[in-house]
Amino acid sequence: MVMSQTESAFANAHPTEQDIAVSIRGVSKNYGAVEALKDMSLDFPRGQLTSLLGPSGCGKTTLLKIIAGLLKHDSGEIIVNGKNVTGPGPNRAFVFQDFALLPWATVMRNVAFGLELRGVPRSEREDKAEKYIKGVGLAGFENAYPHELSGGMRQRVGLARALSVDANVLLLDEPFSAVDEQTRRKFQEDLLSLVANEKKTFIFVTHSIEEAVYCSDQIALLLPRPSRVHEMIRPQIDRSKGVDNIPREPEYLDIVDQIWASLRAYVE
Amino acid sequence: MQNRALYLKVLSALLVFGAWEIAGRIPVSYAFPTFLESMAALARMTFDGSIFVAYAETLKPLVVGVAISTFLGIGFGLWIGLSARFDWLFSPIFIVMQAAPLAALIPLLVMAYGIGLTSKVFVVCIMSMPVIVLSTSSAVRNTPASMKEMAKSFLAKDYEILLKIIIPAASPMIFSGLRLGVSAGFIGAILSELKITPTGVGDIISYSRSIADYPSMYAAIFSIIVLAVLFLNLLEKTENYLFKGNDRGYVTD
Ligand SMILES: Nc1ncnc2c1ncn2[C@@H]1O[C@H](COP(=O)(O)OP(=O)(O)O)[C@@H](O)[C@H]1O
Ligand SMILES: [Mg+2]
C-alpha cells in the first residue's frame, strides 16, 4: 500500500522504541475555575524538536512552565530523563517570550547569569558565556546593555543564556514572536542547526503553523478549553531542499493545510 | 551634555539669587533681606565659626535619624514587600506615621523621651522613615514577575532572587524614596530644633529672628538648603555608581 507523504506523517505520529527525554502523564492544571490543562499526556523524544502548536489561550505556556517546574500541576506526573520532577532542575533551561533579561546587566553578565547562579567561578563562566555569545552571533556586544540591542539580539542573549548552562532539555516559549519577520527566518534556520548539532531536546511553543511545520520533528497540536492534544504530527520535511524551497514543497503545503483544517473550527 | 546640564544649573541658580536680590531691595517685606546681605551674614558666621558649632549640634539628630531610617526603613520595606502578612501587620503603621501631624506628636515625644537627642532623633525618623518604607515595599511588590521566574528557572535560591533580582530591580524606587526621606529628615531636624529645644541651626534661626537679625536667619536657612541639595546629589552619585545601567530603562517595558 502506498501512502501519501501527508498520511504517513500522521500515521507515524507515535514514536515507538524511542528514547523519551520528557514525558508528561495525565497532567491537569486549573487556575481557579479555569481548566487550563486536562489529563494531558505527551512524550518528547530525545534529540528532537517538538512543537506545541495551538491557538492562544490553549495552555501552551502553562504546559511549558509546568515542565520547567515553574508552575505546580494539580495532578499527573512530569518525567524528565526517567525521573519525576516537581521543580526547576539543571537538566532544563527556559527561553522566555519576553526575553527576561536583567536591564542593569551587560550581555556578558546576562548570558553568564545561569552559570553565576550555579556557583561557577567568574573567569570560567565568562569563558563559557563568551563561546555562546559568539555562537549566537553577538561577538563584540559583550559589554552592551539590553536596551542597546534590537529585539532579535535580545532574544539571542536569552538563547545563549539557556545554552550556556548545558541543560539537555531546552524549553522555548514563543521565542520569536517579538522579533521581526526577517530575523525570525534567520532564527528558525539557526534553531534547526542547533537541533542538529547540540544533541538537545527542544520543546518549542509557537502559534505559527508554518514555523511549526518548518522547524519540527514532531508537532503536538493542542486545542483549547480544556487543553488537550488533538493530534500528533511528524512532518518529516526533507530539509536538504534548502530553506528557500521548502515553503513551496507540496508535502509542506499539505501538512500546513491539514493542520489549518483541524484548527479552523476553533478559530472561527 | 554634561556641560550643558551644569550650565543650566548655574543659570537657574543665578536666576533665583537675582530674583531674591531684587525682592530684597524692593523690599517685599521689612523682614526680607537681600541675597547679598544674607551671604554677608553667612560669611560672617563661617569666619567666626558659629555656623560650624551650630551644625555640629544639628547634624547629630539628623545623621543618626537618617541612618536609622535608611537601614530600618529599607529593611522594613523589603520585609513588607516580600510578605503579605507583614504588609497587613505593619503597612498601616507607616501610613499613619506619614499622615500624622508631627507638631501634635512632639509634646508626646517630649513627655516620653525628654528634650534631649532622643526626641529629636524620633522627629527625624518620623519624618523620613515612612516614605522610605512605603516606596521600598511597593518597589519590591512591583518586581517584574518574569525576571523572578527566570532566576527561579536557572535554580536561584530565595536569597539570590532577593539580592540579584529584587533589590537591583527595586533600587531606582528605593533611591527615590531615600531622596524624599532624606529631604524630609532635614525638615525634621530643623523642626525639632524649633519645637523642642533651640539648638544648632534651629537656634540661629529662632534667635536671630527674635533680635530681628533677618540676614542671619536667612543665611542659616540658606545653608541648610545647600547642605540638603549637596547631600541629595551625593546620593544620586552613589546610586549611579552602585547600579550602573539601571537608569537605562527596562527592556521589557
Ligand atoms: N495566572 C493565571 N491565572 C488565571 N488564569 C490563567 C493564568 N495563566 C493563564 N491562565 C489561563 O489559562 C489558559 C491558558 O493560558 P496559557 O498557558 O498562557 O495559554 P497560551 O500560552 O497557549 O496562550 C488561558 O485561558 C488563560 O487565560
Ligand atoms: Mg503563551
Side-chain angles (χ1 to χ4, degrees):
Chain A
M1 188 177 76
V2 181
M3 277 184 170
S4 81
Q5 187 74 38
T6 325
E7 276 169 20
S8 73
F10 283 80
N12 289 341
H14 277 285
T16 46
E17 312 292 316
Q18 233 164 352
D19 185 8
I20 301 300
V22 178
S23 173
I24 59 175
R25 308 254 172 88
V27 167
S28 302
K29 169 76 185 174
N30 298 328
Y31 292 108
V34 180
E35 207 170 28
L37 300 176
K38 188 176 181 191
D39 193 23
M40 187 180 276
S41 297
L42 200 50
D43 285 336
F44 300 89
R46 191 178 303 283
Q48 298 198 357
L49 189 150
T50 302
S51 287
L52 303 173
L53 174 67
S56 56
C58 73
K60 306 183 294 292
T61 299
T62 303
L63 179 58
L64 207 62
K65 288 193 172 162
I66 288 175
I67 297 173
L70 291 171
L71 274 178
K72 294 265 171 280
H73 46 291
D74 300 332
S75 61
E77 309 186 287
I78 309 291
I79 294 153
V80 180
N81 299 332
K83 291 200 188 72
N84 199 343
V85 298
T86 50
N91 48 13
R92 284 151 289 150
F94 207 103
V95 177
F96 292 83
Q97 184 170 9
D98 64 358
F99 321 132
L101 303 180
L102 306 177
W104 55 84
T106 58
V107 167
M108 173 57 87
R109 178 151 185 241
N110 268 296
V111 171
F113 194 64
L115 297 168
E116 180 181 335
L117 292 173
R118 280 167 208 205
V120 177
R122 188 179 185 133
S123 61
E124 192 180 322
R125 69 177 188 249
E126 294 199 338
D127 284 349
K128 207 159 183 194
E130 182 65 49
K131 185 182 129 203
Y132 285 99
I133 290 172
K134 285 215 175 71
V136 299
L138 285 178
F141 288 93
E142 289 82 357
N143 295 316
Y145 286 89
H147 76 107
E148 298 166 328
L149 307 177
S150 69
M153 291 159 91
R154 288 176 198 170
Q155 194 53 292
R156 285 170 190 276
V157 175
L159 192 61
R161 177 177 60 196
L163 289 171
S164 68
V165 293
D166 218 10
N168 51 32
V169 177
L170 245 65
L171 307 162
L172 304 96
D173 188 8
E174 302 199 28
F176 311 148
S177 65
V179 304
D180 58 75
E181 187 58 33
Q182 295 90 307
T183 316
R184 193 180 171 113
R185 286 264 178 113
K186 181 77 180 71
F187 257 121
Q188 292 166 355
E189 287 170 36
D190 292 353
L191 184 62
L192 287 175
S193 59
L194 276 178
V195 177
N197 301 329
E198 287 274 341
K199 311 252 171 295
K200 292 183 196 300
T201 307
F202 289 75
I203 304 178
F204 178 73
V205 167
T206 180
H207 58 235
S208 157
I209 301 175
E210 285 79 10
E211 184 168 89
V213 176
Y214 177 55
C215 297
S216 315
D217 296 303
Q218 168 183 293
I219 301 170
L221 188 60
L222 306 185
L223 290 177
R225 271 173 282 281
S227 186
R228 61 198 184 277
V229 181
H230 178 72
E231 255 170 317
M232 288 295 278
I233 303 150
R234 298 183 69 76
Q236 293 175 317
I237 300 277
D238 179 6
R239 298 205 183 90
S240 64
K241 299 238 171 66
V243 206
D244 301 322
N245 296 320
I246 287 173
R248 281 193 289 274
E249 290 296 312
E251 41 171 338
Y252 170 88
L253 294 171
D254 280 353
I255 298 168
V256 169
D257 278 349
Q258 190 104 10
I259 294 174
W260 175 230
S262 301
L263 285 176
R264 175 174 278 146
Y266 287 89
V267 181
E268 274 167 2
Chain B
M1 269 326 271
Q2 188 95 48
N3 269 333
R4 196 162 153 228
L6 187 68
Y7 178 74
L8 283 176
K9 270 183 197 164
V10 171
L11 190 73
S12 74
L14 283 180
L15 276 177
V16 170
F17 297 153
W20 179 355
E21 181 68 25
I22 291 165
R25 277 174 196 269
I26 292 176
V28 174
S29 149
Y30 143 77
F32 190 70
T34 68
F35 174 66
L36 293 177
E37 282 168 356
S38 305
M39 287 306 105
L42 186 58
R44 181 175 43 70
M45 287 191 285
T46 308
F47 288 122
D48 71 12
S50 55
I51 196 97
F52 299 113
V53 177
Y55 270 106
E57 203 56 43
T58 303
L59 284 178
K60 258 185 265 167
L62 180 61
V63 168
V64 174
V66 165
I68 292 176
S69 302
T70 302
F71 285 102
L72 280 187
I74 292 178
F76 264 111
L78 289 175
W79 206 347
I80 287 174
L82 291 171
S83 143
R85 181 175 311 158
F86 228 74
D87 184 20
W88 178 84
L89 206 59
F90 287 99
S91 267
I93 297 180
F94 291 103
I95 291 168
V96 167
M97 229 163 115
Q98 194 175 33
L102 187 62
L105 290 180
I106 286 178
L108 295 179
L109 284 174
V110 171
M111 236 159 64
Y113 300 104
I115 57 168
L117 187 63
T118 318
S119 290
K120 291 178 181 169
V121 169
F122 262 100
V123 172
V124 173
C125 286
I126 290 172
M127 286 297 286
S128 69
M129 196 138 80
V131 62
I132 297 176
V133 172
L134 296 175
S135 54
T136 303
S137 62
S138 84
V140 168
R141 268 195 297 269
N142 289 322
T143 311
S146 79
M147 272 190 234
K148 284 191 277 189
E149 214 163 42
M150 181 278 289
K152 225 178 274 170
S153 82
F154 287 103
L155 309 177
K157 294 167 194 76
D158 283 346
Y159 78 91
E160 286 174 316
I161 294 182
L162 180 66
L163 292 181
K164 291 176 194 270
I165 306 288
I166 294 175
I167 290 180
S171 73
M173 257 185 94
I174 294 180
F175 270 93
S176 80
L178 272 184
R179 274 194 289 274
L180 293 172
V182 167
S183 342
F186 271 85
I187 299 172
I190 298 301
L191 207 63
S192 73
E193 289 184 330
L194 295 175
K195 299 269 176 194
I196 300 178
T197 40
T199 51
V201 180
D203 184 37
I204 298 183
I205 295 174
S206 46
Y207 177 73
S208 46
R209 190 178 59 182
S210 70
I211 59 167
D213 177 7
Y214 295 112
S216 296
M217 177 180 145
Y218 276 83
I221 296 172
F222 179 78
S223 71
I224 193 101
I225 293 172
V226 169
L227 193 69
V229 170
L230 286 180
F231 196 82
L232 291 180
N233 270 322
L234 183 73
L235 205 61
E236 203 178 313
K237 291 257 160 31
T238 316
E239 179 187 1
N240 290 340
Y241 173 75
L242 284 178
F243 297 100
K244 213 165 66 158
N246 226 353
D247 51 343
R248 298 160 193 242
Y250 280 77
V251 279
T252 46
D253 282 350

